[in-house]
Amino acid sequence: MAPETSTNASEATKVLEQQPPMPLDENLYSIDDEALEFMKAQTGIADPDELKKHILAVQAEAYSIHPYPCIRSFSFLRLKLNRMPAYKQVLVVGKERKGAILLDIGCCFGNDIRKAVHDGYPIENCVGSDLHPEFWDLGHKLFKTTPETFPVPFVPGDAFDPNHLEVVPPFYSPPDTPVPELSKLSSLNPLRGHVSVVHASLLFHLFSEERQFALAQALAGLLSPEPGSMLLGAHAGLPEKGLRLQGLHTNSHGITMFCHSPETWKELWDGQIFKKGTVKVNAFLHEIEREDLRSKPGVDPATKFYLLVWSVIRL
């Protein structure tokens, strides 16, 4: 049974009765073999039980900062960027294009940046950004690093604050501004037109349809006009665009979740954000299990949950 939806975009900001965050549940702990080996290698903790204790401690701290469902469900352990169809192209850009900047926005603990660096993306060309700087600090705790041992710059800020990320039209020719020194960034605005890869996962679905459009505009303005530059990510989606209403509950930002379909996501980027025909957009739904929501009041056990996996590549 597909989730009940509404296509009325004006309802996307409708605030329903917000339920308190669900308590943490250790029984939801799950880590696949690839992520387990990555965590062992990164932390130096070889014993799975000790590693689990370490992860649970960091999870509890993070959930007290903001109760994102992805923290409660341990989805932060599931590597995302390297499982996307465009990931090989990301690594090619990083290795073959001089100074190719990779921005991970909404990066949380920085797992995906760390995986990209592990796989060969030049660490000096990476930068992370998130609303909550505490998450980046907890990333150092989670991976047992310091700003010195993992010197990727982090730029905290609100993606909807023009002082941090101002909406500008996409670039169709090289910007006339110099490439900024990443370690000296205090906002993302100096990156306009200079970023080769923008990764944004589990981010867009936090916002209404209108704000998703505004975020897409802002991120497009960061992207380099060079062919092969790309945005990519994954977030909640639906077979038909609309509100995810099962359970009539709000998300962690107090709104009913709005989801695009693959078709409307493609239309958004190719023709609305970028001039039609100047980008190649791939988008598809991947059905996922959400055991963390099965016990939530009002959620039909037959409800299907989907990730919208996507990439936008400049031609």
Side-chain angles (χ1 to χ4, degrees):
M1 177 179 172
E4 183 183 359
T5 65
S6 168
T7 56
N8 186 343
S10 67
E11 293 181 8
T13 55
K14 180 181 178 183
V15 177
L16 302 177
E17 182 180 354
Q18 190 169 9
Q19 299 176 354
M22 296 184 72
L24 294 177
D25 183 354
E26 185 178 333
N27 293 321
L28 295 174
Y29 179 81
S30 175
I31 185 169
D32 60 54
D33 291 342
E34 182 185 17
L36 177 61
E37 293 307 312
F38 179 69
M39 289 299 299
K40 285 181 178 180
Q42 293 287 302
T43 63
I45 302 175
D47 181 76
D49 292 332
E50 288 301 315
L51 181 60
K52 179 180 178 180
K53 289 179 184 178
H54 175 66
I55 291 170
L56 288 173
V58 175
Q59 180 208 30
E61 285 192 62
Y63 202 63
S64 69
I65 294 167
H66 191 90
Y68 287 114
C70 62
I71 293 175
R72 180 177 181 269
S73 66
F74 295 96
S75 68
F76 64 88
L77 294 176
R78 297 167 202 135
L79 298 168
K80 296 172 286 296
L81 177 58
N82 69 303
R83 297 180 180 182
M84 295 177 185
Y87 183 61
K88 288 183 180 179
Q89 194 168 343
V90 169
L91 295 181
V92 169
V93 169
K95 293 173 182 178
E96 297 185 357
R97 183 184 298 184
K98 182 179 179 181
I101 296 172
L102 165 62
L103 167 66
D104 190 359
I105 188 163
C107 62
C108 196
F109 302 134
N111 304 46
D112 289 302
I113 286 182
R114 292 171 184 270
K115 176 59 175 170
V117 169
H118 176 78
D119 290 341
Y121 205 100
I123 190 170
E124 66 272 16
N125 296 333
C126 296
V127 60
S129 185
D130 199 285
L131 177 63
H132 301 285
E134 303 94 333
F135 287 157
W136 186 257
D137 294 337
L138 285 173
H140 283 301
K141 187 171 185 177
L142 178 64
F143 289 98
K144 292 185 172 293
T145 58
T146 67
E148 291 70 39
T149 60
F150 187 74
V152 169
F154 174 79
V155 188
D158 183 343
F160 297 99
D161 178 359
N163 293 316
H164 177 65
L165 180 56
E166 186 178 7
V167 172
V168 297
F171 287 80
Y172 294 94
S173 59
D176 56 10
T177 56
V179 178
E181 189 173 339
L182 299 184
S183 63
K184 294 183 178 179
L185 288 173
S186 58
S187 81
L188 299 181
N189 284 329
L191 291 174
R192 289 185 294 229
H194 292 296
V195 181
S196 296
V197 179
V198 178
H199 175 237
S201 279
L202 305 184
L203 179 63
F204 277 91
H205 63 212
L206 298 175
F207 311 113
S208 68
E209 182 176 15
E210 293 82 3
R211 298 198 98 190
Q212 289 189 33
F213 183 84
L215 180 58
Q217 287 180 304
L219 296 183
L222 296 176
L223 200 62
S224 164
E226 190 170 345
S229 301
M230 73 184 81
L231 305 105
L232 73 169
H235 55 264
L238 287 172
E240 294 185 10
K241 83 165 187 175
L243 303 181
R244 198 179 78 181
L245 295 175
Q246 70 279 4
L248 293 179
H249 58 82
T250 59
N251 67 15
S252 61
H253 281 230
I255 66 169
T256 307
M257 181 180 287
F258 173 83
C259 297
H260 271 282
S261 70
E263 291 71 26
T264 60
W265 194 243
K266 291 176 184 177
E267 292 168 359
L268 172 73
W269 291 100
D270 186 14
Q272 297 179 42
I273 299 299
F274 291 100
K275 294 176 184 176
K276 191 162 185 63
T278 63
V279 292
K280 179 182 179 181
V281 185
N282 289 312
F284 63 91
L285 292 178
H286 173 65
E287 189 173 345
I288 58 172
E289 292 295 326
R290 288 297 303 268
E291 294 301 324
D292 58 308
L293 295 181
R294 295 300 177 195
S295 61
K296 192 155 188 172
V299 177
D300 186 333
T303 297
K304 293 182 178 181
F305 296 94
Y306 301 95
L307 272 183
L308 178 62
V309 182
W310 58 276
S311 63
V312 179
I313 302 175
R314 302 203 74 155
L315 300 175

